[in-house]
Amino acid sequence: KHTSDMDVSKIRATINPRAPVHSVRIRVGRSFEGFGLSPGITKQQRLDLEKLLKNALESLGGNLKGQYYPLLGMNEQVRQQLVDDHFLFVSGDPNLTVAGMERDWPEGRGIFTTRKKLSSFGLTRRTRPG
């Protein structure tokens, strides 16, 4: 059995002040009870999950307050800015297509970023086919 320990006080690290960290990317994939995983999720499940997560993320406050950008109907200028900010990526991976991960593209998919764009949350895959 895996035991999670989310106590941040136990994290120890030394950061050289002459070599500051400008950016860190951490990817976490989660499954949600009642929803299929990417290869098997139905279109309706994906739309329902998008709505659920969009509402939850848009209710955040403080430093976590931000905006949700649905991929469906996304303005090209907004899309390009998210690419330039390294929040949105081009896929082009045929394995993902064969695995069913890009079915019904781009419905039910989007990205949430905090106001200061310090963090982001991709909903049901945040890449775009190349």
Side-chain angles (χ1 to χ4, degrees), residues 3-14:
T3 303
S4 294
D5 186 348
M6 304 299 282
D7 183 353
V8 297
S9 69
K10 294 179 182 177
I11 299 173
R12 301 284 182 247
T14 303

Side-chain angles (χ1 to χ4, degrees), residues 42-114:
T42 67
K43 181 178 178 180
Q44 190 58 54
Q45 283 179 324
R46 190 179 298 109
L47 293 171
D48 292 346
L49 181 58
E50 178 190 34
K51 182 179 178 182
L52 176 78
L53 294 174
K54 176 182 178 280
N55 290 338
L57 291 165
E58 287 183 340
S59 72
L60 297 174
N63 290 336
L64 297 177
K65 187 165 183 58
Q67 182 172 351
Y68 176 70
Y69 302 93
L71 293 186
L72 184 64
M74 181 180 281
N75 173 295
E76 177 57 28
Q77 185 177 359
V78 170
R79 188 198 70 79
Q80 188 58 54
Q81 187 62 56
L82 290 169
V83 169
D84 293 346
D85 291 339
H86 303 285
F87 287 124
L88 198 61
F89 306 95
V90 174
S91 170
D93 185 340
N95 295 314
L96 297 177
T97 302
V98 169
M101 306 256 308
E102 294 182 352
R103 278 180 291 105
D104 306 313
W105 191 269
E107 291 185 79
R109 295 169 173 91
I111 185 164
F112 173 87
T113 64
T114 58

Side-chain angles (χ1 to χ4, degrees), residues 21-40:
V21 175
H22 293 284
S23 169
V24 174
R25 179 169 296 142
I26 300 170
R27 184 187 184 289
V28 178
R30 302 307 270 169
S31 58
F32 292 85
E33 186 175 353
F35 297 94
L37 297 175
S38 291

